[in-house]
Amino acid sequence: MPIQYLKRKKAREILTQLSLHEDITLKSVAIALQESLSTVLSSQEAEFISMIENRRSFLLRSDKKIHVIDYGAGSPHFKRGKREMEQGLQSTESVSEIVASSKPKFWGLLLFKLIRELKPLSCVELGTCVGISASYQAAALKINGIGQIVSLEGAPEIAEIARDTFNSLEFKNASVVIGPFHQTFKRVLEASEPVDFLFNDGHHDYYAVRKYFDEAIPYLSDGGVIVFDDISWSPGMRKAWKEIEELGEVSASIDLQSMGIVVVKKNFSTKQKFEIPL
């Protein structure tokens, strides 16, 4: 029996219990996870997701080359220095190669379902790429009938593709801000305050993840949710996640192995931690 099947069977059992939780935020997250695992979609939801995946397919067929500036950590096995990351590494890549690094459909669906259930008004994303994950979130906000998402991207030519993605899908509730995160993040937080939902899929570096978490806390709504991508991408990312789970502002955490979800609250009696490997 495939390991993935067994993992998701176990996940469904845990989520059945979590969906009965008295905390409304945890209950909403559990329902979002359940519906993602079972691909529960209304006809309207399915239509939006089909549009986004068609856009992904279109971009995957592109052989266009663009100029890229990468302010990230590089790879799990090769750590860039702080100065290298601040200056950015310049290269030329094909659009299809860049699109291949976008979040797969399942994780896009999870973001979509989280937005549908949590119903945030103000969303921020670190790491736009070509706009696929932001489009999943924007689609959910559009169906909800309220809310905006601002996504941050360091590379101007990639950001332009994301803008084209939002325009082609007619998501007027999504926008992209261009520039290194250390220059744009705080400004976006100030303009978006209070932030109800933050998706960190940007700088995969221990110090950056901790820094951006600390910067975000004053601007989050009480009960705000932060989703961290690639928490097992490197030892540094795993370390950052484990430390964030223990911080005093975090009332609950859900470790999905690939992604991590935390709930931030001012007042709570007991910290709750869940492990649901997917």
Side-chain angles (χ1 to χ4, degrees):
M1 192 173 291
I3 293 175
Q4 188 79 340
Y5 173 81
L6 292 172
K7 285 167 65 176
R8 294 195 172 178
K9 182 175 183 293
K10 180 64 175 177
R12 287 186 178 93
E13 293 172 1
I14 298 171
L15 290 169
T16 297
Q17 296 300 315
L18 193 55
S19 66
L20 302 174
H21 203 283
E22 60 182 11
D23 184 289
I24 188 65
T25 303
L26 284 176
K27 183 175 182 178
S28 296
V29 171
I31 292 170
L33 283 162
Q34 283 179 316
E35 294 195 353
S36 299
L37 285 168
S38 301
T39 321
V40 176
L41 296 171
S42 69
S43 58
Q44 186 183 29
E45 290 175 332
E47 183 179 355
F48 272 106
I49 289 169
S50 177
M51 289 166 54
I52 295 168
E53 289 303 318
N54 286 340
R55 172 64 178 175
R56 187 203 301 267
S57 297
F58 170 79
L59 292 171
L60 280 170
R61 294 192 297 269
S62 173
D63 57 3
K64 181 181 178 181
K65 300 278 188 179
I66 64 170
H67 179 64
V68 175
I69 306 175
D70 183 4
Y71 297 96
S75 77
H77 311 293
F78 179 74
K79 183 175 174 60
R80 292 178 186 159
K82 182 179 178 181
R83 179 171 292 183
E84 272 187 301
M85 290 187 284
E86 287 182 350
Q87 293 178 342
L89 182 68
Q90 301 192 36
S91 64
T92 300
E93 296 181 39
S94 69
V95 171
S96 59
E97 289 174 329
I98 296 165
V99 179
S101 67
S102 293
K103 296 312 301 171
K105 184 177 179 180
F106 172 78
W107 296 106
L109 177 59
L110 175 54
L111 292 169
F112 175 89
K113 285 294 185 178
L114 285 169
I115 298 290
R116 288 285 285 132
E117 289 298 323
L118 294 166
K119 295 180 170 49
L121 299 181
S122 177
C123 305
V124 174
E125 176 185 68
L126 279 166
T128 317
C129 195
V130 295
I132 299 299
S133 60
S135 290
Y136 269 97
Q137 295 169 80
L141 291 168
K142 189 169 184 177
I143 296 172
N144 287 350
I146 195 167
Q148 301 282 327
I149 178 168
V150 180
S151 188
L152 284 66
E153 173 56 48
E157 292 190 32
I158 296 180
E160 284 306 316
I161 295 173
R163 283 189 176 133
D164 288 342
T165 296
F166 301 152
N167 289 335
S168 68
L169 297 172
E170 299 183 354
F171 290 144
K172 298 187 182 346
N173 57 357
S175 60
V176 58
V177 173
I178 303 171
F181 299 156
H182 63 272
Q183 294 178 6
T184 60
F185 188 44
K186 192 170 181 181
R187 172 163 51 90
V188 169
L189 289 172
E190 289 172 348
S192 305
E193 183 181 9
V195 176
D196 304 309
F197 189 88
L198 171 61
F199 178 41
N200 187 339
D201 184 23
H203 196 160
H204 289 26
D205 172 76
Y206 166 79
Y207 296 103
V209 171
R210 286 301 313 270
K211 174 179 182 288
Y212 295 132
F213 175 84
D214 292 341
E215 284 188 4
I217 287 297
Y219 301 96
L220 291 177
S221 58
D222 192 22
V225 169
I226 305 179
V227 179
F228 297 89
D229 193 28
D230 295 325
I231 59 173
S232 299
W233 183 79
S234 68
M237 288 292 289
R238 195 67 195 168
K239 180 184 178 185
W241 165 253
K242 298 306 286 185
E243 289 181 3
I244 286 170
E245 276 191 304
E246 300 299 331
L247 294 177
E249 300 91 344
V250 174
S251 66
S253 62
I254 302 175
D255 186 337
L256 304 176
Q257 194 169 27
S258 177
M259 276 187 182
I261 303 171
V262 299
V263 181
V264 176
K265 285 191 175 180
K266 292 177 182 176
N267 299 302
F268 58 93
S269 55
T270 306
K271 183 186 290 289
Q272 300 180 82
K273 297 166 67 175
F274 304 90
E275 290 189 11
I276 313 174
L278 296 181

